Amino acid sequence: MLFIKIDTGVFLFLFDIEPVMVGDYSLQVINGEPNFERTFLTAPQIKRTACDLVAQVASGQQIELPVLLGEWEPNAEINGNWQQDLNANRLPQVAG
């Protein structure tokens, strides 16, 4: 799971890690949940950085937080219902 802050909101996205055998090698394939994939369809750098973070945590590496994922400007034609997708993963605001 990955918490992403966008503007003033915090959003939770889940990721799957699947081991895949290619010959004698085991690779990890990381997939974001559909809302993550659709929301950041026009931001491959954010998707790549997020997957890199998930891979680092899965392999036991320490991460120094916060991590800047990059700039993102949604495209209404390509991203479709990005606001709905994003709001489906919004966490309630915590006072304090």
Side-chain angles (χ1 to χ4, degrees):
M1 94 179 65
L2 187 65
F3 296 96
I4 299 178
K5 182 176 182 186
I6 302 171
D7 292 328
T8 60
V10 177
F11 304 86
L12 171 66
F13 295 99
L14 301 177
F15 290 80
D16 290 327
I17 302 174
E18 296 177 44
V20 175
M21 291 300 294
V22 178
D24 293 335
Y25 298 97
S26 178
L27 303 176
Q28 291 182 345
V29 176
I30 300 171
N31 295 304
E33 66 178 301
N35 283 349
F36 176 81
E37 297 293 335
R38 283 191 305 266
T39 299
F40 297 107
L41 187 62
T42 57
Q45 76 283 0
I46 290 176
K47 291 169 69 171
R48 184 174 34 257
T49 304
C51 287
D52 287 347
L53 286 171
V54 171
Q56 288 173 348
V57 170
S59 67
Q61 296 179 33
Q62 277 192 322
I63 307 292
E64 189 172 327
L65 299 175
V67 175
L68 180 62
L69 296 180
E71 298 292 320
W72 171 63
E73 187 66 38
N75 179 319
E77 289 180 25
I78 295 172
N79 292 99
N81 295 324
W82 67 271
Q83 288 174 314
Q84 269 184 307
D85 288 341
L86 195 57
N87 284 329
N89 293 77
R90 181 183 294 270
L91 296 177
Q93 295 297 320
V94 178

